[in-house]
Each structure stands twice: as C-alpha cells, then as structure tokens.
Amino acid sequence: MNERRWLARSERWLRILLRVYPVDFRDEMGNAVVHTYRDACSAALRSGGVPALMRVWVRALWDSLRNGLGERVRPAASWRRSGNWGRDMEIAMRRLLRAPMFMAAMVGTLTVGLGAFAVVYAVVDKVLIAPMAYERPDDLYFVWRDYGKIFDLKRGWLAGTDVAELQKSGGVIAEAAGLLSQPFLLSTRGGADPIEITVTTTSPNLFDLLGVRPALGRGFARDEVGPKRPPVIVLSHGLWNRLGADPSIVGRTVWVTGGLYTVIGVMPRDFHFVRHASLGPPSRPADAYTTFAMNLATTNPNSGQYAGLIRARRGTPPEQVAAAVGAVGRVIDLRDFQGSGMSIYPTSLKPDLVAEVRPALIVLGFAAAFLLLVLMVNVAALLLARASKREHEFAVSRALGANGAALMRATILEGGLLGVIGGVGGALVGIWGTRAFVALAPLDLPRRESIVVDWRVAAVVIGAGALLGLLAAVTPAVWAARASLSSLLASSAVRGGGGHQRMRRAMVVAQVALSVVLLSAGGLVVRSFEQLLRANPGFTPDGLLTMRVPIPIPLVPKPEDARSLQNRVHAALASLPGVTRVSAANALPMTAGASQSNITIAGAPGNTGDRDHDNPLGDYIATRAGYIEAMGMRLVAGRAFNEQRHDSVREAVVDRVLANHFFPAGSPLGASIDFRGSRLTIVGVVEQARLYDLHRDGRPQVYVRAEDWDFGMRGLAFVVRSGRPPETLIADARSAIRNIDPRLTITQVRTMNEIIDEALSQQRLGAVLIGGFALGALLLAAMGLFGVVSGSVTRRRHELAMRLVLGADYGRVMRLVIGEGALLIGFGVLIGAPGVYAAGGLIRGVLVGVSPSDPLTLVAVAAGLTIVAMAACYLPARRVLDIDPARSLRQ
Amino acid sequence: MDRDKRKIDAFLPVRVVEFQILLSLAAGERHGYGIIRDAEARGDNKVPDVGTLYRALARMTEQGLITGVDRGKVADAGDDERRIYYKLTSLGLKVARAEAARLAALTRAAQLGGLLSEVLS
C-alpha cells in the first residue's frame, strides 16, 4: 500500500525531472526512462526502504541535470532527421489511411477543385503573365495609325511609307518592320493539290528584330527584299511537319500561289508569331514567312495595310518610345496629310495581344480563387467534424499532459498533407484539363499554343493546395488545442461533441455567402451567353456551307478571267444535288473581314454639317448576285442585286443602320454614295448581317456588286444553301472545284453555324467554366450544410424524439430542424449580398445584354440556392425523424 | 571485407556505457533496467545512470549497433508491456567483438609492460 504511494510520488518526481530533457528525447525515450527509474525505485524501496529511495531520487536529479542539459547541448541522436514534424507527418498519414472514405472524399474534392484552379491558373499565367518567347519582349511594340479628325479610325494599319520612315528614324527606335498577313496557296507538287497557309510577308529584319534564329537553314539576308530578286520563304516548324519534316527541304523550291519560292530556313518548334490586327482578333499564327517584293518607301502613303513592328533600344521607357514614334508621326502627317492630324502611336506587344481576353480571364481568375475559398472552408469544416469525433482523444491526451501545440501541429499537418495530396491530384487533373481547354478554346485565343501545365504551374498548384490545407486546418487545430476534459465532461451531458457546432455553423454561413457570390456571377455570365445565343445575327445560318475559293493572280492574271472562273465555280456549286441557292461575298458575317471606307451621301437629310457625323466609317462588302437571298437576310426596302447587271450603274444595298443614320425619316432608295471616285446608287435596304459581335450592330454596311470592284475579288467566300446537312456537301464541292482546275482548292470550309460557334467560343468557354465553378461551390456549400444539420439532428435526436412522443406533430419538428438550416442560409445570403454587388461590378465588362444587377438572375440564383440548401437540410432531418421515437429514446 | 573492417574500426574505442550495453545485449535482449541490473551483477565499478544509458541507447540505435525489439518476439515480457527491449544488430555484435579484442590486446600489452601485477586469464 505504502510502497505504491511512494512509487506514484516517485513517478511524479521523475516526470518533473524529465522536463530538463529536450522535447525530442522526452517524446522518444521519456517513458522508458521513467519506467526504468521506477524499477530502480521499487528495488531500492524493497532493499533499503525510504532512505534508499531518497538516494535514488537525488541520484535521478543529478542524472537528469547532467544528461538532460547535456542532451540539450549535444543530442544523442539526430531527432530532427525526420524530426517531430516528420513523425507527426507519419502519424497524420497513418490516421488518414485509417479513414479511407474520409480521405477519398477530401482528396477527391480537393483534386477536382484544385484541378479547375490549375487549368485557370495555367491559362491566366501563360496568356497574361508569362513573357513572350522573343528576346527582350518588353522592348517590342506594334505601331498604329490614329486618323484623328480625318475619320474615325483609332487603330489603323500603317502605310509602307510609314514603316520606311520608322526604319530610318534611328534614335530609340532600333529596328522597324512592316508586316502583311495573307492566305497563300502552297503546293509541293508543281501547283496541284495546294493547301492554304497563312503567310507573313515582312521586311527582311523580322527575325533579327524578334531576336530568333531559324532551327534549320538561315533567315533573310538584309538585302533579300524588293522587286526583281528570287523569292525566298522560311517555314514555321508546324508547316515543315505538315510537309513531312524533311530537313533536305532547305534549298528546294515550292509553289506558292503561282510562283516558285526557295525554302531557305525552318523556324524552331517553340517559335510562334502572331501579327496583331488593326480590328478584330489577331490573325492566325504565321505558317511561313517571306519578304516584300517591292520597296515599302515607294508605296502609296494613303493605303494603310501594314502592321508596324518596332524594337526599341534596350530598356527605353515606354513614354520615350511613344514620344519617338509620335515625332515620326508628325513628319508623316505634315508630308502625306498636310498636317490634318493623323498620328501614329506604339502599343506594347503583350498587353495589345491579350487586351481582348484580359477582362474575361481576370473574371475567370477571380472565380477560381473563390472556388478555392469555398473549398478551403469545406475542408476546414470536414477537418473540424473529424476533430470533433476525436474530441475524447484530444481531451484525454490534454489531460495526460500532451501540450496543446502538439495537438495543433498534428491537426494542421493533417490539413497540409491532404492539401498536398489534393494539389498533386489537381496538377495531374490540370494537365489533362488544360489539354481539353486548349482543344475547346477559340483558335484566336492569344498565345493558345503556350498553354500547358509545366513544373512551375504544378508547383504553384501544389503549393496552393498545401496552403489551403494548412489554413483550413487552423480553425479545427485551435479548437482541438482548446479541448479539455472539463469541457468534454460538460458537453457530454448532451451526448458528446458540442463546441465545434458553433464553428461549423459559422463555416456554413461563410460557404453559403461565398457560393451566393459565385453563383450570382455564374448565373449572370451564363445568362449573358444565353442572350448571345438568342441574338438575331441578321441572317439565317442553318443549312449554309461556306468556303473560300482563292484565285491567285499568278494563276489567273486578268481580272475578267478571274470573274469568268468565278462564274464557273458558281455554276458548279449550284448544280450540286440539293443546293437551292449559291452566292459569294468577300466578307462573311462574324468574320470581321470587310474593307472599311468613309461613307458620304451628299444631300442626305440626316447630314448635320459635322464632319465626323457625316462621314462615318463603314464596312464595304462585295457580293455576287443572290447573296442576300442565300444568306437569308431580311430585305427592309427596295430590292437585292439581281442577275442583270449594267456596267453604267453601280448599285449598292445598304443596311438599316446606315439608312437610319442618313435618312432618319425618309427612304434612302435612289440616293447615291460617293465611293472610290464614282457613285453608288442605293437600290435596297437590309437588316444588318453582323460582322463583329453577334449581339449588337457594328459599323454601317454597304453591299456592292463583286463584279463592279476589284477589292476582295480574288478571295471570295462562296455560300451554299441546301436542303442537305451542310457537312455532306463538302466532298462534292471539293471535287466540283477540282474538276474546274486542279490548281484551285477550297479553303476555310465551314458551315455558317461553325463560324458562329467559333465567334462565340470564348464566351461559351467562360460561361461553362464559371457556371461549373458556381455549381461546384453550391455543391460544396450543400455538403457543408448537410453535415451541420445531420450532426445537429443526430445530437438532438433524444430531444426531438421526446418532442414527438409528447405529441408535437411531425411537420412541426421538421420545421424546427429546417428552421435552423434556413437561418444559416439566410445569414449567408445576407453576408454574401455585398459580395454579389462587388462581383457584379467586376464582371460588368464581360456581360452582354444583362445588367450586373439583373433581378431575374439574382432571384433565380437565390431561389436555386435556397432549394438546394433546403434539400441539404431536409434529407438528414428526415433520416433521423423517420426513426421510431421509442427506438431513439432507448438508444 | 576491408571496408567492413574500416567501418567497424570507426566505432572504436566505444565508451564505457556503450560497451556495457553491448556486453549486456550480447547475452540476449534486454530492456533498460535489465542492462543496469547486468552491470550491477557484473560488479562493474561504474554502473551507468539511467539518463546516460538512454542517451547511449538512442545514439547506438541511430548508429545501427542495436535495435528496438517488437514486443511480440520477447520471450519473458510478462511485466510491463510498454517497455522497449533492445538487441544487438550484426554490426553491433561485430563492433562488440572488435572492442573486446582491442581491450584484450591492450590488457596483454599492459601485462607485458608490467603494469598489471596480477595475471588475468
């Protein structure tokens, strides 16, 4: 009896002494030391009684001081080899593996969420952030014309003379190049079976200017430009692969649109060059490069058609570049425009390239960040739920002396570990996700080819996962550290686990608030997309097949021969079985391909005398007869072009936008437009067939007869309307054209609906992603709510059963339970409301036809959220309430 | 073989407490108090303190000379299940032998040098 008390005292004494040792030693060896000493104590007690025991105590004190302090100075083992963290990690891992369902649920959620984040991050990073793959890309600028008061064109092409002027200006402008981007036909078999490629025609210094070298062969020599020299061509890596990836192609000749070009080089695989466009999206990446066959300095200064690319001297500040370019512009203005106010200005390469997609990508980035937040709260709630199940364990270990820090560390590690695993999963999902994204993404998405999940992106995603897990674990960790036996005993009166419920409720409120924001943003974007889809583009796209039939000058030099060739193409297409109408235009709707020029109608009633108002910039579209009928455009007044054409009269059909501009009350029929030195007589008015945006009118349009003019004449796009599915016509059309001349080909074969889909692909992708994020957030919030309500109902099942037994009716008890959930939802929605407002401001720029505070959308979102959330409350409530109350009470 | 020997030699000379542990474990698996009891039973003139002993055990475990034993494999472990038992690794056994040989050589040298009046056999 006595002995046992002494031994207990000894143990207490020894535990105190053990404190002298560092924590690692104590954790690893502490118990063994105490047990060994207790053996010694018990032996001493038996042999020499209390005095002997005292001697052991004193000796233990001395021993602990000596070895404990010694151990602190020079640890016996490298405890830190895996360290406490390592050991905790192992324990955390083991604990997770013991709960495979929990782990699978957490890792699954994290993987999906972080995978979505990975895709968005990769896209945002590669498109908006990563530098372009040129030498010192920050010193590169495109240069544009701003016509100022002359006419309304703020971003026009340069004339060749402007480029020449920039080239000789010197100063901070180190190099300048002019660029044209055109579709050419290329054939390696003497002209037969050509393929269409995009060729950038440029000044010979382009590659030096960009700081890149061909992977095979050479680039252009400085004097390899101008007329009367053998034409040379440099292939892109992609085109070289398409032609069979034969290194010996360098030095051979290929047939390019009627001429023989010598291949002198092949660019490296990672080199992509996109010429920015003055209007509309940038052109497709170049397939090949060649140099101008004329001298830019001798071109027409009034004909703006070149993109100007300059490289500034190393590290020149942008303002200085703008000043230098502006100075060149003043010279040009004085010389070519008599000082009427034309100016030129530079735009940085990357901001210019990504300007169009920037707002959408930023919205997407925010949505992804929000999803991560919701995910984090969800993980926190799950960890908390888990921690609450281990409440006893925590409280007991706390009571036994485990310090709070250790418990915190264990919980935080658990979160971090889950985060890292989820991050790795997310990065893997991201790799495939990005591939899918790139496949879905619009072809004109800038820098599309560079979007991949690389190591840097993967590291960020895994880091984000780890951070998310750690942060999520902080709340449960703090809670776990506070768990004490007394609080446990107090709460066990209500059958275990109480304190965490408040925290979980707070988390559900946060989740609901975040989901409301994301859902409303998602709802608005989806609705905006729906508006786009419903927009009337001004023509009937169904059943239309379109194809371009380029007629190169070298192949058919005379315009009249080209026209008769087009008549044969027209006839051949019209004779295909099932075809009802055929026509052609140089610019199809939704392709932004028209020519622009000022529209002047002398004496029109709408003229105000204001120069800007009376000379609006309009789109001129050259069409063959029957175009308006074939496209299914709506004729408002007058007539369309008919088959009879008179050389003496040049006809025009205008759109309603133009008619309203110049003839607000009367009819424009019979009025004439000054165009290229002759007069166009207006014979009809149509609804605008939109060229740029599906949902709103663009510039005023003037349709002219393709036969009357030479612009766009050699690249007419034929439209074929038929009763057959348009895709089934392609093979027939191809062979019909080939039968006319094997050197002809059809290119850009697309149905009109495909053209529209492509024009909408960016919005579609955005809507799908944001909608997906929003639904994900909703699902996560519902899961959180489900967890809280089912926890609360389980805890209160005695009380609820008692109420039922005492006569409360089922519906009333159900309302009690659901009311609890509804309160949380209400709070969440209230807290989220300002966020909805802020998000509305953020996405305003990407919305079309929907106000950011669109009541219908917001009410629908609120209703949808409430229904889902209520279901998440109802299901667990029913599960518990359906148990016979008598059984519940017995348990 | 040569490398092995060099590796073993690197441990030599071992500290007194380490040799006591090696000696004790050479006879079989022991827990901490068992090693102390062995030392007392041998009449070693310096029985290690518990703290000293466990620091040495930690150090030797890390060096791979000894290893903790799974509970199930200990034959007479009736008393206290939380106790850690130790046993020699093959490296530990070699080191113990090498140290013993080293001590024997020293003792022989001391004898020859007349430092030891009594003859030990």
Side-chain angles (χ1 to χ4, degrees), chain A residues 601-616 660-662 664:
Chain A
I601 304 180
N607 282 349
T608 60
D610 174 54
R611 203 175 142 172
D612 278 351
H613 179 271
D614 295 350
N615 297 279
N660 288 344
H661 187 88
F662 285 101

Side-chain angles (χ1 to χ4, degrees), chain A residues 206-219:
Chain A
L206 175 69
F207 299 136
D208 300 338
L209 193 154
L210 294 174
V212 290
R213 299 162 156 276
L216 280 178
R218 61 178 179 88

Side-chain angles (χ1 to χ4, degrees), chain B residues 66-92:
Chain B
I66 60 173
T67 167
V69 180
D70 198 329
R71 264 287 298 134
K73 288 186 187 163
V74 180
D76 80 318
D79 44 338
D80 191 330
E81 57 175 312
R82 274 184 297 183
R83 232 165 239 178
I84 309 169
Y85 281 73
Y86 292 94
K87 69 169 188 185
L88 283 186
T89 63
S90 65
L91 176 67

Side-chain angles (χ1 to χ4, degrees), chain A residues 21 25 28-29 32-33 35-40 43 59 63 66-67 70-71 74 76-79 81, chain B residues 15 31-33 36 47-59 61-62 80 82-84 86:
Chain A
Y21 288 89
F25 185 87
E28 196 73 25
M29 292 293 193
V33 169
H35 293 147
T36 308
Y37 260 123
R38 216 182 49 190
D39 288 347
R59 184 144 186 218
D63 174 31
R66 196 164 53 95
N67 278 306
E71 179 69 22
R74 242 185 45 189
S78 53
W79 306 107
R81 169 189 44 191
Chain B
R15 297 183 197 192
H31 55 64
Y33 190 55
I36 292 182
V47 177
D49 274 334
V50 178
T52 314
L53 175 75
Y54 274 98
R55 284 179 74 197
L57 286 172
R59 191 164 54 232
T61 308
E62 166 144 314
D80 191 330
R82 274 184 297 183
R83 232 165 239 178
I84 309 169
Y86 292 94

Side-chain angles (χ1 to χ4, degrees), chain A residues 586 595-602 618-622 650-652 672-681 702-705 708-711:
Chain A
N586 73 328
S595 314
Q596 283 87 39
S597 186
N598 284 63
I599 301 172
T600 314
I601 304 180
D619 288 326
Y620 283 80
I621 300 148
R650 298 201 154 171
E651 294 175 341
S672 52
I673 303 173
D674 300 322
F675 181 61
R676 299 198 174 184
S678 59
R679 303 171 81 77
L680 297 169
T681 305
V702 180
Y703 293 86
V704 298
R705 281 187 183 270
D708 293 346
W709 305 94
D710 56 2
F711 66 90

Side-chain angles (χ1 to χ4, degrees), chain A residues 300-329:
Chain A
N300 175 4
N302 286 318
S303 156
Q305 53 177 323
Y306 303 95
L309 179 67
I310 60 168
R311 171 177 288 284
R313 293 214 182 284
R314 184 185 290 271
T316 314
E319 311 82 60
Q320 228 170 308
V321 177
V325 170
V328 175

